[in-house]
C-alpha cells in the first residue's frame, strides 16, 4: 500500500525579485515501512518537498495523498533538535500531545514506554542542556514518535552533529524506525547517508527540480547503516548517484 | 557532598576574604564621606546653607516625620513610581504581543514607534498636564511614556528573535497561533522580560520625579523643587537621600527576582 503519493507536484513562489519555480514535476510514492531518501543539488528544494508533505506549504499544482491513521499522520524531525530549554526532556517529548490535546493516560504510558525502551528514562527530568548532542536528537525523535505518526520526515536530521556522533545517531535512529515499523523520508545532502539508510533514493535535478531517477538500493544483507557505508556495493551506488547529480 | 581538597578550601577562603574586604571598604568609604562632610560643616570649611550637612539632613527628616508628612510624601512618590512601572511594563508587553500577532499592524505602527522613541518625553510635559490634568495622573502618565516605548521595542525584539525552526516545529505539530505564543514565544522571551524589569525600575523613578518637577503638590520630587525655591538645601538634600534609598530598595527587589529566576534557570 502506498502510504504517500506525490503526483506532478509543482511549486512556484513569489517575492519582490519575481517568481521562482522551485519544483517542476515531483512524482514518487512511498510504501508502508519503506525508508526513502531524497538527494539533489543544494538549493533544489528538498526541504520544500517535506514542507509540502506536512501541509506547511500548499503546492501550486499537483496532488499529495497521504494514507495513514493516528492523531498526527506526519511527524517532522529537523536538523536542529529544537528542544525547548525551559522544559524537561519528558515535557519536551509531551509537547506534541499537549498541542493536540492528546495528553491521555494511554499516550503518557506510551511516552514512558518509549523513554524506557530508548534509554532516556533516567534523563526524563533533566533539561536539554544536560544531554549530549546524540541524546538530544534521540529525544527529538521520541518527541515525534509520541504522536504515533505513520510517516516520519527527517530533514537533514543528522547534519548538525559531529561526524562520530552522526554515525552513531544514524544507526540509533535507523534501529528505532525499524523497530517501530515506521515509514520514513530523509532529506540529505550526504550521498553515503542516503545509500546506507534507504530502500530507495529519489534523485532530484537542479532547480526547477524534477525527479531524475528513483534508485532502488538492495543492501539488506548488511544489518546496520554503518556496515552499509563500508561495503563494496555502496561505492557503485555512490558513483551512480554522483554522476546523476553533476 | 564531595570531600574538598585543601587547595579548594584555600581557594574558597581566599575568595571569601576578598569579598569581605570589598564590602567593608564599601561601607567604610560611605562612613568616611559622611563623617568628612559633617566635620567640614561643623568647622565652617563648607557653607551649610549651600551644602547642608548630615546632621541637618537627619534633623530635617525627623521634623518631616514628627509633622506626619514624611510617609505622606514618600507614599505619594512610591505609589506613582510603582503604578507607572506596572502599567508601562505590562501595557508595553501586551502591545508588543499584539504587534507580534499582527504583522500588518506592526509594519504600520513601526515608524511611529521609532519617532516616539527618539522624542525626549519631557517635551510632552505641558501637553500631558493640559490633557490629563494636574495631579498624580499626569505624573504617572509621564512615567509610563518614558518606559512604554522602550518596553514595546525590546519585548517585540525578543519575540521576533525566536528561532523560526522552533515555530515550524510547533506548526508541524498542529499548533495554532495562540499555542505558539504561550508555549514558545512568551517562555523564550522571559530572560529579556526580566532584564527589562531592571531597566524599567530605574526609568520609572526618572519619569516620576520628572513628572513631579512639572506638576505636583506632594512627593519627594515636589519637596526637592519646593526646597530649592525657598532655598532650603536641607530639605533638598534630605529628599534626595530618601529618594536614593527608595530607588535602591526597589532595585534590589527586582534584582532579587532576577536572582531567583537565574537560580531556577541554572538548574537546567
Amino acid at each position: 500500500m502506498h502510504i504517500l503519493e506525490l503526483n506532478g507536484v509543482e511549486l512556484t513562489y513569489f517575492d519582490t525579485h519575481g517568481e521562482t519555480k522551485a519544483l517542476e514535476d515531483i512524482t514518487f510514492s512511498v510504501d508502508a515501512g519503506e525508508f526513502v531518501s531524497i538527494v539533489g543539488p543544494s538549493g533544489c528544494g528538498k526541504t520544500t518537498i517535506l514542507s509540502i508533505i506536512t501541509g506547511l506549504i500548499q503546492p501550486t499544482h499537483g496532488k499529495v495523498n497521504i494514507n495513514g491513521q493516528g492523531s498526527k499522520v506526519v511527524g517532522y524531525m529537523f536538523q536542529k533538535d529544537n528542544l525547548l530549554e525551559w522544559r524537561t526532556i519528558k515535557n519536551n517529548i509531551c509537547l506534541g500531545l499537549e498541542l493536540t490535546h492528546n495528553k491521555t493516560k494511554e499516550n503518557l504510558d506510551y511516552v514512558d514506554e518509549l523513554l524506557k525502551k530508548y534509554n532516556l528514562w533516567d534523563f526524563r527530568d533533566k533539561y536539554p542542556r544536560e544531554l549530549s548532542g546524540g541524546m538530544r536528537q534521540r529525544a527529538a525523535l521520541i518527541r515525534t514518535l509520541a504522536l504515533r505518526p505513520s510517516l516520519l520526515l527527517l530533514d537533514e536530521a543528522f547534519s548538525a552533529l559531529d561526524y562520530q556522533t552522526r554515525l552513531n545517531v544514524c544507526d540509533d535512529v535507523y534501529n528505532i524506525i525499524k523497530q517501530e515499523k515506521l515509514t520514513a523520508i530523509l532529506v540529505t545532502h550526504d550521498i553515503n547517508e542516503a545509500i546506507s539508510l534507504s530502500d530507495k533514493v529519489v534523485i532530484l535535478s537542479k532547480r526547477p527540480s524534477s525527479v531524475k531517477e528513483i534508485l532502488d538500493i538492495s543492501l539488506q544483507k548488511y544489518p546496520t547503516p554503518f556496515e552499509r557505508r563500508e561495503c563494496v556495493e555502496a561505492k557503485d551506488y555512490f558513483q551512480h548517484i554522483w554522476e546523476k547529480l553533476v | 557532598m564531595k570531600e574538598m581538597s585543601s587547595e579548594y578550601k584555600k581557594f574558597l577562603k581566599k575568595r571569601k576574604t576578598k569579598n569581605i574586604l570589598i564590602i567593608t571598604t564599601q561601607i567604610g568609604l560611605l562612613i568616611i564621606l559622611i563623617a568628612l562632610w559633617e566635620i567640614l560643616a561643623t568647622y565652617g570649611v563648607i557653607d551649610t546653607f549651600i551644602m547642608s550637612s548630615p546632621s541637618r539632613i537627619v534633623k530635617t527628616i525627623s521634623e518631616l516625620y514628627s509633622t506626619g508628612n514624611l510617609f505622606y510624601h514618600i507614599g505619594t512618590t512610591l505609589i506613582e513610581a510603582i503604578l507607572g512601572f506596572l502599567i508601562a511594563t505590562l501595557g508595553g508587553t501586551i502591545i508588543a504581543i499584539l504587534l507580534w500577532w499582527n504583522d500588518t499592524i506592526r509594519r504600520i505602527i513601526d515608524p511611529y514607534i521609532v519617532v516616539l522613541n527618539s522624542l525626549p518625553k519631557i517635551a510632552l510635559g505641558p501637553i500631558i498636564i493640559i490633557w490629563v490634568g494636574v495631579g498624580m495622573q499626569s505624573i504617572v502618565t509621564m512615567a509610563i511614556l518614558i518606559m512604554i516605548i522602550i518596553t514595546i521595542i525590546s519585548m517585540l525584539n525578543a519575540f521576533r528573535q525566536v528561532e523560526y525552526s522552533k515555530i515550524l516545529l510547533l506548526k508541524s505539530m498542529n499548533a495554532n497561533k495562540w499555542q505558539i505564543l504561550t508555549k514558545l514565544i512568551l517562555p523564550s522571551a522571559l530572560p529579556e522580560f526580566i532584564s527589562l524589569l531592571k531597566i524599567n525600575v530605574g526609568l520609572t523613578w526618572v519619569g516620576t520625579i520628572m513628572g513631579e518637577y512639572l506638576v505636583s503638590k506632594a512627593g519627594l520630587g515636589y519637596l526637592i523643587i519646593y526646597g530649592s525655591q525657598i532655598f532650603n538645601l536641607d530639605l533638598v538634600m534630605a529628599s534626595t537621600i530618601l529618594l536614593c534609598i527608595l530607588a535602591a530598595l526597589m532595585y534590589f527587589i527586582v534584582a532579587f527576582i532576577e536572582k531567583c529566576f537565574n537560580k531556577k534557570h541554572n538548574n537546567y
Side-chain angles (χ1 to χ4, degrees):
Chain A
M1 190 192 80
H2 290 335
I3 203 162
L4 171 78
E5 281 172 301
L6 270 79
N7 214 326
V9 168
E10 193 188 311
L11 181 83
T12 308
Y13 63 83
F14 313 103
D15 58 18
T16 44
H17 304 296
E19 44 186 311
T20 316
K21 197 170 215 181
L23 305 176
E24 173 92 61
D25 173 23
I26 304 294
T27 304
F28 69 90
S29 59
V30 179
D31 290 335
E34 247 185 338
F35 198 120
V36 175
S37 290
I38 301 175
V39 296
S42 54
C44 74
K46 298 182 288 263
T47 301
T48 314
I49 295 176
L50 295 191
S51 301
I52 288 174
I53 296 171
T54 344
L56 291 172
I57 301 178
Q58 291 301 318
T60 322
H61 291 292
K63 263 211 210 126
V64 179
N65 281 326
I66 302 170
N67 313 301
Q69 62 283 96
S71 53
K72 184 79 183 88
V73 182
V74 179
Y76 205 122
M77 202 172 149
F78 297 82
Q79 181 174 354
K80 287 194 65 190
D81 54 56
N82 283 323
L83 295 170
L84 305 180
E85 292 296 339
W86 57 90
R87 282 172 172 252
T88 60
I89 292 302
K90 187 167 178 189
N91 283 337
N92 261 297
I93 288 170
C94 291
L95 181 66
L97 297 176
E98 225 173 286
L99 292 171
T100 51
H101 306 289
N102 273 317
K103 246 182 144 177
T104 57
K105 169 102 178 39
E106 193 200 343
N107 284 332
L108 289 176
D109 285 347
Y110 181 59
V111 166
D112 284 351
E113 192 191 311
L114 287 170
L115 281 169
K116 280 178 194 154
K117 201 152 132 197
Y118 299 119
N119 298 325
L120 280 172
W121 181 249
D122 294 335
F123 297 90
R124 63 189 184 281
D125 293 325
K126 299 252 189 259
Y127 287 91
R129 68 171 63 159
E130 295 173 275
L131 267 63
S132 68
M135 279 169 106
R136 288 177 65 125
Q137 203 60 342
R138 200 191 300 159
L141 176 63
I142 292 176
R143 177 184 58 198
T144 315
L145 296 183
L147 290 169
R148 301 177 211 246
S150 329
L151 179 62
L152 189 63
L153 306 179
L154 307 161
D155 186 0
E156 301 270 9
F158 314 113
S159 307
L161 304 165
D162 63 82
Y163 190 66
Q164 212 176 346
T165 316
R166 186 171 173 171
L167 294 183
N168 288 329
V169 173
C170 224
D171 277 12
D172 197 31
V173 168
Y174 181 82
N175 284 332
I176 296 173
I177 287 172
K178 287 295 159 193
Q179 266 192 59
E180 303 296 324
K181 297 186 176 58
L182 285 164
T183 313
I185 300 177
L186 167 74
V187 155
T188 181
H189 60 256
D190 183 339
I191 300 173
N192 280 323
E193 194 172 274
I195 296 167
S196 64
L197 288 165
S198 331
D199 305 307
K200 212 156 86 179
V201 177
V202 176
I203 306 168
L204 298 180
S205 67
K206 275 200 296 249
R207 201 170 69 186
S209 58
S210 53
V211 178
K212 226 173 183 181
E213 191 188 338
I214 297 174
L215 180 70
D216 285 311
I217 308 275
S218 3
L219 294 174
Q220 277 77 10
K221 56 178 165 174
Y222 305 101
T224 67
F226 186 82
E227 285 169 276
R228 290 178 198 175
R229 257 176 203 269
E230 298 299 303
C231 73
V232 201
E233 298 95 311
K235 305 229 168 17
D236 299 332
Y237 284 124
F238 184 91
Q239 200 60 35
H240 184 88
I241 296 173
W242 179 254
E243 276 161 17
K244 288 278 164 189
L245 286 180
V246 282
Chain B
M1 190 76 189
K2 260 196 287 183
E3 194 63 40
M4 281 187 281
S5 71
S6 63
E7 284 84 0
Y8 185 59
K9 274 183 195 159
K10 227 183 207 164
F11 165 79
L12 283 182
K13 203 174 166 210
K14 211 171 159 189
R15 257 181 72 128
K16 208 174 160 190
T17 326
K18 184 104 188 182
N19 284 344
I20 291 171
L21 182 76
I22 287 172
I23 292 170
T24 32
T25 317
Q26 280 169 338
I27 296 169
L29 200 62
L30 186 68
I31 292 171
I32 289 169
L33 280 175
I34 293 172
L36 199 67
W37 187 4
E38 185 63 42
I39 291 164
L40 290 178
T42 316
Y43 291 100
V45 183
I46 54 172
D47 187 352
T48 50
F49 184 66
I50 296 170
M51 296 294 289
S52 187
S53 78
S55 58
R56 289 173 70 145
I57 289 169
V58 172
K59 206 173 136 234
T60 312
I61 292 175
S62 66
E63 267 168 25
L64 276 173
Y65 177 71
S66 56
T67 52
N69 280 328
L70 181 65
F71 290 111
Y72 170 62
H73 289 295
I74 289 179
T76 308
T77 304
L78 200 59
I79 287 171
E80 289 161 353
I82 291 174
L83 265 181
F85 175 76
L86 290 179
I87 296 173
T89 309
L90 294 178
T93 307
I94 289 168
I95 292 172
I97 290 173
L98 292 176
L99 295 182
W100 171 83
W101 191 279
N102 191 322
D103 203 55
T104 312
I105 295 180
R106 181 190 66 82
R107 285 177 58 191
I108 295 170
I109 301 283
D110 195 54
Y112 293 93
I113 288 182
V114 172
V115 171
L116 275 178
N117 188 41
S118 43
L119 178 81
K121 270 43 123 202
I122 186 88
L124 297 173
I127 302 173
I128 293 171
I129 296 167
I130 293 164
W131 285 1
V132 186
V134 177
M136 197 185 254
Q137 65 267 37
S138 41
I139 296 162
V140 175
T141 308
M142 178 57 96
I144 292 171
L145 270 179
I146 281 187
M147 285 175 280
I148 199 157
I149 304 292
I150 195 73
T151 304
I152 295 172
I153 290 175
S154 46
M155 284 323 289
L156 186 60
N157 219 355
F159 295 159
R160 285 164 57 85
Q161 259 169 11
V162 176
E163 284 165 279
Y164 185 65
S165 69
K166 289 206 165 104
I167 297 175
L168 220 54
L169 167 81
L170 265 72
K171 276 188 180 167
S172 82
M173 295 194 290
N174 280 359
N176 56 36
K177 202 155 189 180
W178 175 253
Q179 286 175 318
I180 292 175
L181 176 72
T182 52
K183 306 257 180 220
L184 176 64
I185 304 293
L186 293 181
S188 300
L190 196 60
E192 279 85 356
F193 184 74
I194 299 281
S195 56
L196 181 80
L197 289 183
K198 248 173 139 173
I199 296 170
N200 278 356
V201 83
L203 283 181
T204 192
W205 291 105
V206 177
T208 306
I209 299 304
M210 223 147 77
E212 285 189 352
Y213 280 2
L214 282 171
V215 51
S216 63
K217 289 187 223 63
L220 294 173
Y222 163 79
L223 286 185
I224 292 173
I225 282 286
Y226 174 72
S228 73
Q229 278 164 358
I230 59 167
F231 234 88
N232 181 349
L233 264 294
D234 295 339
L235 188 58
V236 174
M237 290 291 190
S239 312
T240 309
I241 282 175
L242 286 173
L243 198 59
C244 250
I245 296 169
L246 279 184
L249 274 180
M250 209 154 133
Y251 180 83
F252 283 130
I253 291 171
V254 172
F256 180 71
I257 293 172
E258 190 192 21
K259 208 174 163 187
C260 293
F261 167 78
N262 278 343
K263 216 173 182 176
K264 205 183 143 214
H265 264 229
N266 286 339
N267 281 342
Y268 269 173

